[in-house]
Amino acid sequence: MNEPFLSAVPVLQQLEDAGYEAYFVGGSVRDYLLNKQISDVDIATSATPEEVKAIFPKTVDIGIEHGTVLVLFNLKSYEITTFRTEGDYQDFRRPKEVAFIRNLTDDLRRRDFTMNAMAMDRMGQVIDPFKGQQAIEQKIIQSVGHAKERFSEDALRMMRAVRFVSQLSFHIEEETMRALKELTYLLENIAIERKRAEFEKLLAGDNWHEALRIIAETNICAYLPGLKNQKSEIEKFLSYDGKNLTTSEMWSLLLFCLKLSEKAAESFLRDWRLSVKEIKHILSILMYLERRLEKDWSVYDLFKAGSIVIESVEKLYLTIKRLNDWTEIERLLTTYQELPIKDSKDVAATGTDLMKWFNRNGGPWVKESLVQIEQAILNGIVKNDKQNIKEWLLACSQN
């Protein structure tokens, strides 16, 4: 057993010393068996929320109606959830009610896939009533119990199954896949934010190509914003490597394949509930990508794009062109770093200065003149000094 389990062992010990059962559960146990890096652990216990709060002096009620208490222990926080069973689900995502129980197996029985329905005690002993270890050995994603029931309870589990194909390079077990294909329509009831979270995790996985093929073949794409009836566009997206691309870059590559106008692309991203900042960033990448595919970078475009967008655009350019010359990215970033100005705010002259020098009111001419100044500074025609800029502008106006 390793971290973060070792630091959490005293938490389990205190629960046991108080007379209750306590185990590590869920994805952390699965990832431990897969020798994957683990960021945090979840703990399940036979103690009720009130009993947990009586044991630990520092707690926060983060989901107490569903049995979860946040325990603050040795400068770390742990989510501790009471063993429970769940009643009928509403909205295909949430149980109408939960009942606290004292039996671990019955608690594990409600979980989505067998590889996630395991527990581990503080000694590292794995409790595996639904053959999760066997599923891991065989690299299969299999529902706990009847797949139709699990997917009908929470339809998002279908996207989770496909996401695990991407992240773990496992395959979906036959009965689970049949249920997934049959119940895909239930995804219509799931909030876009939840689908987006799974989709972005899917795109970040090593096996995203296979996962996205399943998305297309099972018609899950019909219940994802902007992807209905886009089979050929998705196939084009799948033709690219996509290795080492960030989430924003993957969205940009997908939009490139969808061939949407700027307005339609913005609408697509809004439908996926991306933030205004994220949308602005992705649209900027797309704009400069289109220019890059037509011609080399100009100094002014490097200046306006900035280092983050430059790197993203060049990575996408190499991906689309199926090239592997990553040294070009370093060259472009070095060129950007050597520019005399990196932002419009760096220019020594302002719009107010221009109106004073020419004794004119504001208007479009001010913005045009500032762009002219930026280009002159970047091309080495004039130094970024207020007096130099003034003399150069006045000379230009007389010609």
Side-chain angles (χ1 to χ4, degrees), residues 33 53 55 70 134 164 230-231 245 305 314 325 343:
L33 295 174
K53 291 167 70 174
I55 297 169
L70 186 72
Q134 181 178 312
F164 284 127
Q230 299 289 342
K231 185 176 180 181
L245 295 184
E314 201 62 22
D325 185 13
D343 190 280

Side-chain angles (χ1 to χ4, degrees), residues 15-288:
L15 287 161
E16 291 181 3
D17 289 347
Y20 304 104
E21 293 180 40
Y23 304 91
F24 300 113
V25 293
S28 62
V29 178
R30 176 199 69 227
D31 289 344
Y32 172 72
L33 295 174
L34 285 166
N35 294 315
K36 288 184 172 290
Q37 184 175 351
I38 301 163
S39 57
D40 55 25
V41 297
D42 290 324
I43 297 170
T45 179
S46 60
T48 65
E50 292 304 322
E51 289 166 340
V52 170
K53 291 167 70 174
I55 297 169
F56 298 97
K58 296 180 180 180
T59 64
V60 180
D61 296 350
I62 60 170
I64 198 164
E65 69 278 7
H66 292 110
T68 302
V69 175
L70 186 72
V71 169
L72 306 177
F73 184 87
N74 285 348
L75 303 179
K76 298 180 184 292
S77 60
Y78 301 96
E79 288 190 12
I80 300 180
T81 303
T82 304
F83 298 159
R84 71 190 195 194
T85 58
E86 297 171 341
D88 293 336
Y89 277 64
Q90 58 186 2
D91 304 327
F92 302 97
R93 62 162 293 194
R94 294 171 300 204
K96 291 181 180 178
E97 57 184 19
V98 299
F100 301 142
I101 57 176
R102 303 287 188 180
N103 185 276
L104 173 64
T105 300
D106 287 342
D107 177 78
L108 296 176
R109 195 187 309 277
R110 68 182 173 79
R111 298 176 185 269
D112 52 6
F113 306 112
T114 57
M115 62 181 181
N116 297 331
M118 296 180 289
M120 185 169 69
D121 66 20
R122 61 183 175 84
M123 303 302 293
Q125 180 70 35
V126 176
I127 296 88
D128 184 15
F130 303 104
K131 300 182 179 179
Q133 292 175 96
Q134 181 178 312
I136 289 175
E137 289 171 6
Q138 296 175 353
K139 296 187 175 182
I140 63 172
I141 300 162
Q142 182 173 12
S143 295
V144 178
H146 297 295
K148 284 187 178 180
E149 291 182 12
R150 298 291 82 77
F151 292 154
S152 295
E153 290 167 349
D154 185 351
L156 191 70
R157 286 170 173 168
M158 290 182 279
M159 286 198 68
R160 280 172 55 82
V162 183
R163 185 248 292 181
F164 284 127
V165 170
S166 176
Q167 290 183 322
L168 304 178
S169 294
F170 284 15
H171 64 274
I172 301 175
E173 176 268 338
E174 188 176 342
E175 180 192 345
T176 305
M177 179 62 86
R178 281 201 302 269
L180 190 155
K181 290 178 179 178
E182 185 177 335
L183 299 177
T184 301
Y185 68 94
L186 293 179
L187 284 167
E188 190 171 6
N189 302 282
I190 301 300
I192 297 299
E193 290 83 357
R194 297 183 77 212
K195 289 190 277 195
R196 175 196 163 192
E198 294 298 327
F199 190 68
E200 289 187 334
K201 291 176 185 177
L202 180 158
L203 292 179
D206 290 339
N207 199 28
W208 71 272
H209 287 88
E210 179 59 27
L212 198 59
R213 284 191 187 95
I214 295 173
I215 290 280
E217 291 169 3
T218 59
N219 205 35
I220 287 177
C221 57
Y223 302 95
L224 301 178
L227 297 183
K228 185 177 182 180
N229 300 323
Q230 299 289 342
K231 185 176 180 181
S232 62
E233 287 77 6
I234 291 174
E235 287 176 354
K236 182 178 180 181
F237 184 44
L238 286 168
S239 73
Y240 296 117
D241 187 343
K243 187 178 181 180
N244 298 322
L245 295 184
T246 65
T247 300
S248 293
E249 291 159 3
M250 288 295 279
W251 280 117
S252 300
L253 183 60
L254 176 57
L255 283 166
F256 170 78
C257 295
L258 292 174
K259 297 179 180 178
L260 300 177
S261 66
E262 182 180 353
K263 185 177 180 181
E266 182 178 355
S267 178
F268 174 90
L269 295 171
R270 281 204 310 269
D271 289 344
W272 273 98
R273 304 294 191 270
L274 272 73
S275 69
V276 172
K277 183 178 179 180
E278 289 170 320
I279 292 173
K280 183 179 179 181
H281 178 60
I282 292 169
L283 291 180
S284 180
I285 292 173
L286 279 171
M287 179 183 72
Y288 286 106

Side-chain angles (χ1 to χ4, degrees), residues 300 303 340-341 343-344 346-355 357-358 365-386 388-394 396:
Y300 191 69
F303 162 71
I341 53 174
D343 190 280
S344 297
D346 296 337
V347 177
T350 66
T352 302
D353 292 327
L354 268 62
M355 289 185 284
W357 295 341
F358 289 94
W365 74 273
V366 174
K367 183 176 181 180
E368 293 169 2
S369 296
L370 288 172
V371 169
Q372 187 181 6
I373 294 169
E374 291 170 350
Q375 292 174 333
I377 295 171
L378 291 165
N379 291 316
I381 297 172
V382 65
K383 291 183 179 180
N384 186 28
D385 171 83
K386 185 175 289 191
N388 278 288
I389 293 171
K390 179 180 179 181
E391 292 174 359
W392 177 76
L393 270 182
L394 292 173
C396 290

